[in-house]
Amino acid sequence: MSLYQLERNGDVQELIGVMRRSDNPELRARAAELLGNFDDHDDRADVVNALVSVAEADDSAAVTAAAVDSLDQLGGDAIERLIAEMAGIDMGEGADWMKAQAFAKALDAAVPELRMAAANGLGALEQADAVPKLVERFDDPDPRVRARAARACGQIADSRATDGLEGLLTDSNSKVRREAAEALGNVGNRQALSALLPLYEDGDERVRRVAVGAFGNFPNAQPVEYLVASLTDDAPAVRRTAVYSLVELLANVPTDQSHEIRETVVEQLSETDDRNVVVPLVEILEESQQAAQQRNTAWLLGRVTEAEERERVVDALVEALAADDRMTGQFAATSLAELGGEAVEDRLLDLVDDSDAPEEARAQAVFTLGKVGGERARQRIDALLDETESEEIRKRAFSAISKLGGRG
């Protein structure tokens, strides 16, 4: 029976037998690899015991590597068994710091897969004291180990890793650069974020995407020009990430700077020929659950909308008038006023006449009609003053009709 059939049948005992007794190291390695897929098996304990034994004793580097990878795949307790035996300690129910010491010791193991597993374990434990030991592995000859060590530092997010992670941004391996970039984004201090800026031009699309995604963590306008440049990236995923980062950045900056930075974003956008930011902005407005993102997206949409997307933008902004966050509704109203035109007036009049719509949304629509409406709007608001029982709508109606020439 083939190894594939043994795996399909869940016959872990036969797979263990092949891994232990086959004379062919390729078969032993393949059996060890397949055993990592049985985390929920009734004989899981036997699987872990066998893999630990083989990882320690097999004379084939490939078999050892496969066994270590499978233990890592089976979960923390499995790889901990191997690390504990190698370190000569009984972790049992030991404290995290004790486990971290054992994993840190395994970072010096001869087998790269074991160093990778040790880095994974340290990242999961999030013990800050392990950072210096992980940084030492940034010089590891195996790029997989360098990548895992960088990822672990990102999980821990300790600033002591910043210098080392910055050094990895020029690594010859794109996966290492990507993990370093993501880790620096998690660390998030000024040095870490500034180090990421040049990566918007990295030769690997995934590295650019990770770096551009981290730009939204900046609490200032420094990355705006890089984000705008990324809107013309050859890769659609990078362009889309740049839009999300612009909105995230606006949500993260201090309130007293947000308006100035929004103006900077619009100014920068106006200087580029690529205006394909509208659809992602509409999707953010429709889907985001974060009030700060909704507000800034609603504001931006009134200032970067192109003709071919106008109808969709108007629909999204009219829907946003009913947002739970009052300021989002206000920003949507200002954007509708910026857009203006007959189509905006039509949609707002429809909303005013929708008795099932939220009162606040109808009030915002009335207020906005005072800025964009014509004679139709004046007549409808005039009639509304006699019809409505809502004090909020009445107040907005008086304000709007005074701007439209007064009552008839």
Side-chain angles (χ1 to χ4, degrees):
M1 189 176 293
S2 69
L3 294 182
Y4 169 75
Q5 289 173 312
L6 292 176
E7 181 198 22
R8 187 177 61 182
N9 295 338
D11 196 342
V12 299
Q13 297 301 335
E14 285 296 322
L15 284 171
I16 288 172
V18 173
M19 180 180 66
R20 287 184 182 278
R21 294 186 290 272
S22 174
D23 293 331
N24 185 331
E26 291 184 5
L27 285 178
R28 299 202 305 276
R30 180 60 178 155
E33 180 183 346
L34 294 175
L35 284 167
N37 298 327
F38 291 100
D39 183 43
D40 295 326
H41 199 277
D42 290 341
D43 293 340
R44 183 180 185 277
D46 291 343
V47 171
V48 172
N49 290 335
L51 286 169
V52 169
S53 174
V54 167
E56 290 185 301
D58 201 283
D59 56 7
S60 166
V63 177
T64 299
V68 172
D69 277 342
S70 283
L71 286 166
D72 202 19
Q73 185 175 332
L74 287 170
D77 63 315
I79 196 65
E80 281 178 15
R81 275 277 312 281
L82 178 61
I83 300 292
E85 294 201 15
M86 289 183 54
I89 63 173
D90 179 12
M91 281 198 264
E93 298 297 326
D96 284 349
W97 67 265
M98 182 184 298
K99 295 179 182 179
Q101 284 186 342
F103 279 119
K105 184 175 180 180
L107 284 173
D108 295 324
V111 179
E113 286 76 12
L114 193 49
R115 301 198 296 274
M116 292 162 58
N120 287 348
L122 288 170
L125 289 170
E126 298 185 7
Q127 292 287 301
D129 289 343
V131 167
K133 189 69 176 176
L134 284 165
V135 170
E136 290 179 11
R137 293 267 60 88
F138 289 175
D139 293 324
D140 197 281
D142 192 313
R144 298 174 301 166
V145 178
R146 300 197 298 274
R148 297 290 181 90
R151 183 190 303 175
C153 285
Q155 291 173 279
I156 299 171
D158 189 286
S159 61
R160 286 174 293 176
T162 306
D163 287 339
L165 289 168
E166 185 173 356
L168 289 182
L169 295 180
T170 57
D171 196 279
S172 59
N173 185 281
S174 62
K175 184 172 184 180
V176 175
R177 297 198 304 275
R178 185 166 71 250
E179 292 288 359
E182 194 154 351
L184 284 167
N186 289 338
V187 172
N189 60 25
R190 183 175 300 178
Q191 178 189 350
L193 295 172
S194 296
L196 291 172
L197 292 175
L199 291 188
Y200 84 103
E201 292 184 311
D202 192 274
D204 186 275
E205 173 191 332
R206 290 171 296 179
V207 174
R208 297 198 304 277
R209 180 163 48 81
V210 168
V212 169
F215 292 170
N217 295 332
F218 277 75
N220 55 56
Q222 187 179 1
V224 169
E225 63 178 293
Y226 300 91
L227 285 168
V228 172
S230 297
L231 294 174
T232 60
D233 194 280
D234 291 338
V238 176
R239 297 198 299 268
R240 184 180 181 84
T241 300
V243 175
Y244 276 82
S245 273
L246 277 170
V247 173
E248 188 67 23
L249 184 147
L250 291 173
N252 285 332
V253 297
T255 303
D256 59 346
Q257 299 178 28
S258 61
H259 180 73
E260 178 183 352
I261 293 177
R262 284 200 303 271
E263 295 289 353
T264 301
V265 169
V266 173
E267 180 182 352
Q268 292 278 341
L269 287 174
S270 68
E271 295 175 0
T272 178
D273 293 332
D274 192 326
R275 303 293 295 276
N276 60 355
V277 301
V278 176
V279 172
L281 284 174
V282 170
E283 291 173 352
I284 294 171
L285 182 59
E286 292 174 340
E287 299 170 8
S288 177
Q289 301 299 312
Q290 298 183 31
Q293 289 185 355
Q294 289 181 321
R295 294 172 191 171
N296 290 299
T297 303
W299 188 90
L300 281 171
L301 278 171
R303 290 145 183 90
V304 299
T305 297
E306 288 199 311
E308 58 267 27
E309 298 295 342
R310 185 181 177 88
E311 182 177 352
R312 183 175 180 186
V313 170
V314 170
D315 287 344
L317 288 171
V318 170
E319 288 293 325
L321 294 177
D324 292 336
D325 176 61
R326 189 182 184 94
M327 190 173 293
T328 297
Q330 292 172 352
F331 279 17
T334 63
S335 281
L336 287 165
E338 286 283 337
L339 293 174
E342 187 174 346
V344 171
E345 185 178 12
D346 288 343
R347 289 289 284 108
L348 292 173
L349 285 170
D350 288 343
L351 179 58
V352 169
D353 288 335
D354 183 0
S355 59
D356 294 328
E359 177 184 323
E360 176 60 26
R362 296 178 69 205
Q364 286 283 14
V366 169
F367 176 78
T368 309
L369 281 168
K371 297 183 177 182
V372 303
E375 179 59 20
R376 284 188 305 148
R378 191 196 67 77
Q379 292 180 10
R380 181 68 190 92
I381 295 172
D382 192 354
L384 188 65
L385 282 168
D386 297 327
E387 299 169 1
T388 185
E389 297 181 359
S390 166
E391 287 302 317
E392 183 66 21
I393 292 176
R394 184 184 299 277
K395 181 173 69 173
R396 300 291 181 92
F398 272 119
S399 174
I401 207 164
S402 67
K403 296 182 178 119
L404 295 173
R407 302 196 71 175

